Amino acid sequence: HLVFGLADPRTDRVKAIQQATKNALSDARTLAEAGGVTLKKIRSLVLDGASATPRFTQEKAYMGSRMAMDSAPAPPIVSGDVTVRASVSLVWEIEGP
């Protein structure tokens, strides 16, 4: 089978962590506003994980003699996506009712 990945997975991992953190901060602000409380300071900031998952295709093994394998066409290359995920958890000190 063929597996495709990222040329520089570290860069995309960092971007995923940054975006997950921004999303967590935005969600906390929205939740605090809706709950009528004030966010004071972050007590903990935890990265639950960040990973890249490549899309891959599995081609059937070519059966037959060596000569048949040598003359067989190359398997097709299928374009796809690589999914980069990150999960961030924040614990805030809050003030209010």
Side-chain angles (χ1 to χ4, degrees):
H1 66 267
L2 301 173
V3 177
F4 299 94
L6 299 169
D8 184 6
R10 182 75 185 155
T11 299
D12 291 303
R13 181 179 185 274
V14 168
K15 288 177 186 175
I17 293 167
Q18 289 171 337
Q19 189 60 52
T21 304
K22 287 177 185 177
N23 291 347
L25 290 167
S26 176
D27 290 349
R29 290 180 187 114
T30 301
L31 185 60
E33 183 180 327
V37 298
T38 304
L39 299 174
K40 295 308 250 179
K41 62 182 173 179
I42 296 173
R43 289 298 191 171
S44 72
L45 179 62
V46 178
L47 175 63
D48 293 331
S51 63
T53 306
R55 175 183 175 183
F56 66 94
T57 62
Q58 186 170 5
E59 301 296 330
K60 292 181 181 177
Y62 289 98
M63 304 299 283
S65 69
R66 176 81 182 146
M67 183 178 260
M69 288 188 73
D70 289 342
S71 66
I77 305 285
V78 178
S79 66
D81 298 323
V82 175
T83 302
V84 181
R85 299 181 191 275
S87 178
V88 173
S89 299
L90 303 173
V91 175
W92 287 85
E93 178 180 317
I94 60 173
E95 182 177 273

